[in-house]
Amino acid sequence: MDQLPSTLRMVEDPKTPLQDRHTLAKSVGQLTVALRLIEDPKTSPKERAALLLVVRPLTGSLQIIGKTPPGQRAAYTACARQLTVALRLIEDPKTSPQHRAALLLVVRPLNSALKIVEKTPPGQRAAYTESVRSLTVALRLIDDPKTSPERRRELTEAVQPLTRTLRGIEDPKTSPERRRELTEAVRPQSDELGDRTREILGSPTPG
């Protein structure tokens, strides 16, 4: 992973805020464990594919952090932190198949959002930054062992409109006109996901 040396330099740089250094160090450590598992011939193809699904957006978020001024990193640092937790859960054989599937359903649109951000000029990233922020909150709730299976299902359903939009933007077959329409939908869908997440957070857990 080409991003790891530059991430390590940020960890060692005294100018990097302490909280960012802590997050980046944990991310690098978890990535190292994941890469060993991916290379291990004993790891099943299904497990390897799940690990790669989380490794890609995590390395993408680290790359964006490395190219973003400290004052604008918050959403991406939070994203890296949450993806690190998700990667640890994916690696853990005690994680249930249902919990693992719910994690991956949110990781996929995060991966799309981060890939789009990397190709978008900094001044035009606001809507995508908001999508990263909303998806990160959803992922945090799904990561949380206290979240009930029912709440996890609600969260994975809530991310689907944004998932489809980001996938369409990312698809090279999408026409320019359709891509413009989808791009305009990112911000309201991100806001809607944020509202839905707050509703779920405020809902009592059944039982």
Side-chain angles (χ1 to χ4, degrees):
M1 293 294 174
D2 296 339
Q3 294 91 315
L4 293 186
S6 60
T7 303
L8 287 169
R9 284 194 294 274
M10 286 180 65
V11 172
E12 293 165 359
D13 187 347
K15 293 178 184 175
T16 303
L18 186 59
Q19 188 175 2
D20 286 3
R21 288 162 68 184
H22 181 66
T23 295
L24 295 168
K26 288 186 78 171
S27 297
V28 169
Q30 205 65 51
L31 275 170
T32 303
V33 173
L35 291 172
R36 283 200 208 103
L37 286 170
I38 288 166
E39 292 169 0
D40 189 339
K42 295 177 185 175
T43 302
S44 72
K46 187 175 180 180
E47 290 168 333
R48 187 172 290 112
L51 288 166
L52 283 167
L53 275 172
V54 189
V55 163
R56 288 181 185 125
L58 180 50
T59 54
S61 66
L62 294 176
Q63 188 170 27
I64 292 166
I65 290 167
K67 296 177 180 177
T68 303
Q72 300 170 29
R73 285 179 191 159
Y76 303 104
T77 304
C79 178
R81 187 183 306 123
Q82 226 42 63
L83 284 166
T84 300
V85 175
L87 186 55
R88 187 171 69 244
L89 287 167
I90 292 290
E91 290 166 358
D92 189 347
K94 294 177 184 175
T95 301
S96 71
Q98 294 81 7
H99 191 175
R100 188 175 279 108
L103 289 167
L104 295 177
L105 281 171
V106 182
V107 166
R108 285 189 180 96
L110 257 177
N111 190 32
S112 295
L114 291 164
K115 283 200 280 188
I116 294 167
V117 165
E118 286 188 77
K119 298 174 184 175
T120 304
Q124 299 172 28
R125 288 180 179 174
Y128 299 115
T129 299
E130 194 57 39
S131 71
V132 168
R133 189 176 286 114
S134 297
L135 287 163
T136 297
V137 174
L139 185 61
R140 176 169 61 82
L141 288 172
I142 288 175
D143 284 342
D144 190 339
K146 295 176 185 175
T147 301
S148 69
E150 182 177 336
R151 292 287 175 260
R152 285 200 183 104
R153 280 194 297 273
E154 289 178 26
L155 286 161
T156 56
E157 288 170 9
V159 304
Q160 291 314 303
L162 186 54
T163 298
R164 288 190 290 270
T165 295
L166 292 168
R167 191 185 299 137
I169 293 169
E170 195 184 4
D171 188 349
K173 295 177 184 174
T174 301
S175 69
E177 184 179 349
R178 178 60 179 153
R179 186 171 283 109
R180 279 194 297 273
E181 292 173 1
L182 292 170
T183 300
E184 289 173 5
V186 170
R187 187 58 181 258
Q189 287 181 350
S190 298
D191 291 343
E192 189 175 335
L193 174 59
D195 291 343
R196 185 72 188 106
T197 303
R198 282 187 286 275
E199 284 176 20
I200 292 169
L201 268 171
S203 303
T205 302

